[in-house]
Amino acid sequence: VRVKEEDDDNIPPLYMETLTLLRNISNSGQWPKTSMARSRVIRSPATATSATANSVVASSPSSSSTSTFKGQLSHCGSFTVVNENIWSTEDDRPLPLGNTLFPDLVKSVFQLESKIVRSSSSPPTSAADDADMTTIRPPSTHCAINCNAEFTPHVDSGRGQGQSLSMIVALGKFGQKSVAGRSSDGGGGGGGLFVEGTAYDIRYNPLVFDGWRQRHWTEPFVGERFSLVWFTPELKKKKKTIS
């Protein structure tokens, strides 16, 4: 097992605030439960080399998984927040629980997206052939926030609304997992993202891809791994009744 050695001095300053907030939530035990729908495509990194390697979090969405990061017990899961600056309040759609519980994180996450797309030093790369990388990406309405979650191969449900491309980045101290004495295939560092069979290193390297059409999954890893996925789904409008 190889875990990338890093200290806080080696974390890009752009990500420091968001990573600190994520760590605080994870270490405090406040990480929200994963929805049943999403947990069906997540498995705990702690089970990946065991006889239950194909088990998913759906069997116990609120459970924790053992992480090798400093010997801590870290939560494994995922929740979604929305960008309140552009979130539509029509049809009386309530804010997700994550917005209520973690307002500072929500603000930081969407500010980070804005900074990434305007960054000249480390702009996002693309795994989608039809992505227009010459224009600035518009703000997303949603962000999926993941902790130690190893996603199995899937495509996202629904479709994008205008903005069909998702953007993902990984944060934290994680590394490559060895399976049966051999290093895992992929980007070499562990914890990357496979998109249609091609591995991308997304650790502080944002990637744009079409989550609704391109099959994607997480490269096996060990350690502490957070990931953020910004996206704008098409929302079903409620039918209005005429009295």
Side-chain angles (χ1 to χ4, degrees):
V1 172
R2 294 185 300 161
V3 177
K4 290 185 178 180
E5 293 298 327
E6 75 170 9
D7 53 40
D8 287 349
D9 291 335
N10 293 327
I11 299 171
L14 184 66
Y15 297 91
M16 181 62 75
E17 177 187 281
T18 305
L19 178 57
T20 299
L21 292 168
L22 289 167
R23 284 174 168 171
N24 289 343
I25 294 170
S26 177
N27 294 338
S28 68
Q30 296 180 357
W31 201 267
K33 292 182 179 181
T34 305
S35 69
M36 290 300 294
R38 185 171 298 175
S39 62
R40 292 190 182 98
V41 293
I42 298 177
R43 64 184 169 205
S44 161
T47 67
T49 57
S50 69
T52 58
N54 294 322
S55 65
V56 293
V57 179
S59 60
S60 181
S62 61
S63 65
S64 297
S65 64
T66 303
S67 168
T68 59
F69 177 67
K70 297 182 180 179
Q72 293 176 349
L73 188 68
S74 297
H75 286 276
C76 169
S78 174
F79 65 96
T80 297
V81 297
V82 298
N83 187 341
E84 296 181 42
N85 291 329
I86 56 177
W87 175 247
S88 174
T89 57
E90 67 179 60
D91 301 331
D92 297 321
R93 283 192 291 260
L95 289 173
L97 179 61
N99 284 70
T100 303
L101 295 177
F102 315 118
D104 291 340
L105 175 63
V106 173
K107 180 180 178 181
S108 179
V109 159
F110 288 106
Q111 286 181 343
L112 177 60
E113 179 192 28
S114 178
K115 293 175 182 177
I116 288 174
V117 298
R118 288 169 172 76
S119 172
S120 58
S121 58
S122 57
T125 57
S126 175
D129 293 335
D130 58 351
D132 181 6
M133 304 301 289
T134 62
T135 59
I136 295 179
R137 175 186 174 86
S140 300
T141 60
H142 291 62
C143 183
I145 302 176
N146 311 307
C147 175
N148 294 337
E150 186 177 318
F151 284 83
T152 59
H154 69 286
V155 292
D156 299 330
S157 60
R159 60 179 180 174
Q161 182 179 4
Q163 175 182 279
S164 64
L165 300 177
S166 303
M167 184 171 71
I168 185 172
V169 70
L171 309 83
K173 183 178 180 181
F174 55 89
Q176 188 172 15
K177 174 178 289 182
S178 296
V179 180
R182 295 179 299 173
S183 297
S184 62
D185 295 330
L193 182 73
F194 279 98
V195 180
E196 295 292 351
T198 300
Y200 295 87
D201 178 8
I202 61 169
R203 184 171 176 272
Y204 305 121
N205 292 310
L207 179 74
V208 172
F209 68 105
D210 192 332
W212 287 277
R213 292 191 302 174
Q214 293 180 300
R215 191 173 171 86
H216 54 283
W217 62 96
T218 310
E219 181 183 13
F221 65 92
V222 291
E224 171 214 48
R225 181 185 184 274
F226 299 99
S227 63
L228 305 172
V229 187
W230 293 274
F231 63 103
T232 300
E234 182 178 62
L235 301 176
K236 294 182 179 179
K237 292 187 177 180
K238 295 181 181 180
K239 293 183 179 180
K240 296 183 178 179
T241 57
I242 300 176
S243 57

